Amino acid sequence: MTKSDMAEKLAAKLNITKQQAEGIINIFTNSIIESLAKGDKVEIRGFGSFRVRHRSAKEGRNPKTGEKVFVPPKKVPFFKTGKEFRLIVDGKEVAADGSDDKE
Amino acid sequence: MTKIDIVNKISEQAGLQKPEAELAVETIISLVKETLGSGDSVILRRFGSFQVRQKKERVGRNPKTGEEANITARKVVRFKAGKYFKAAVNT
């Protein structure tokens, strides 16, 4: 599913144009990006959470030449799947109460 | 940030009433879940992609007790951040 496919479905559901739906999807993704860029995290119950993971500096190797290279520390966006979502994907039944969905 | 904050942003920036913005967020989340549930991927340029990965059975260890335990084969969600998203958290 691409953004275009998603926009079509969202447009049908909300009775809006596809362009408006694309705009809404962009606001959705941009708000997550902006939040993580500020160092904040995003938690959506039943879906999952987005947070920044820190990777420390390390000595790497160029796989082609075998030369040692310094890999600087960096931050990477990380998504932790929420319980309900995890169960849907694994084809298991979803607990009716969803009480232990802490993500 | 939680779902309500995203709903508020959509309401303000797209000029939707709150309940409508909330329905939009719920719909986007449901579409991602359903698509992955059927084994397909969701690819949103700049943001990233959600894919299903098949994991093989393996022997794991309880980190508390050190006991070995079998981890059954399973399907898991993998989110791969897009270039733009990765760059945004590193500036």
Side-chain angles (χ1 to χ4, degrees):
Chain A
M1 173 180 270
T2 62
K3 196 198 283 181
S4 175
D5 301 326
M6 185 184 272
E8 263 170 39
K9 296 213 157 102
L10 183 61
K13 181 92 179 180
L14 290 176
N15 205 17
I16 54 177
T17 67
K18 194 181 163 190
Q19 283 72 24
Q20 285 175 307
E22 282 210 19
I24 289 169
I25 295 165
N26 286 338
I27 299 167
F28 179 88
T29 54
N30 282 338
S31 56
I32 295 170
I33 293 171
E34 282 163 20
S35 183
L36 264 68
K38 280 191 294 186
D40 203 359
K41 60 177 190 279
V42 180
E43 289 180 330
I44 303 170
R45 277 188 144 250
F47 183 62
S49 60
F50 294 89
R51 57 191 75 207
V52 178
R53 283 217 168 156
H54 298 261
R55 300 253 183 272
S56 43
K58 60 172 184 180
E59 197 135 276
R61 248 171 224 282
N62 180 327
K64 258 190 204 145
T65 63
E67 238 176 287
K68 271 189 188 170
V69 284
F70 173 73
V71 182
K74 65 176 171 186
K75 296 180 221 161
V76 290
F78 178 80
F79 175 71
K80 184 166 190 268
T81 316
K83 189 177 186 202
E84 196 196 316
F85 190 12
R86 199 165 68 226
L87 294 175
I88 289 170
V89 166
D90 203 25
K92 305 234 164 70
E93 284 300 310
V94 177
D97 60 350
S99 54
D100 45 357
D101 190 357
K102 294 188 286 288
E103 293 87 4
Chain B
M1 190 163 89
T2 64
K3 193 162 72 187
I4 304 142
D5 303 298
I6 301 176
V7 168
N8 288 339
K9 279 202 173 158
I10 290 172
S11 173
E12 285 161 24
Q13 294 176 27
L16 297 183
Q17 297 291 318
K18 284 264 173 72
E20 221 185 340
E22 188 162 7
L23 179 62
V25 171
E26 294 290 355
T27 305
I28 292 169
I29 292 166
S30 298
L31 286 170
V32 176
K33 283 195 210 169
E34 285 164 20
T35 306
L36 275 277
S38 70
D40 285 331
S41 316
V42 173
I43 301 159
L44 301 173
R45 285 190 61 105
R46 287 158 56 91
F47 181 65
S49 61
F50 295 92
Q51 289 176 314
V52 177
R53 283 236 176 148
Q54 178 68 54
K55 295 279 190 185
K56 286 189 195 132
E57 185 182 82
R58 65 186 173 92
V59 179
R61 218 175 261 280
N62 181 328
K64 262 188 202 144
T65 63
E67 252 171 84
E68 280 191 356
N70 244 18
I71 297 172
T72 54
R74 65 189 64 203
K75 288 180 196 149
V76 297
V77 176
R78 155 133 168 112
F79 173 73
K80 196 165 178 270
K83 252 189 199 169
Y84 176 80
F85 194 175
K86 279 189 196 162
V89 300
N90 266 295
T91 46

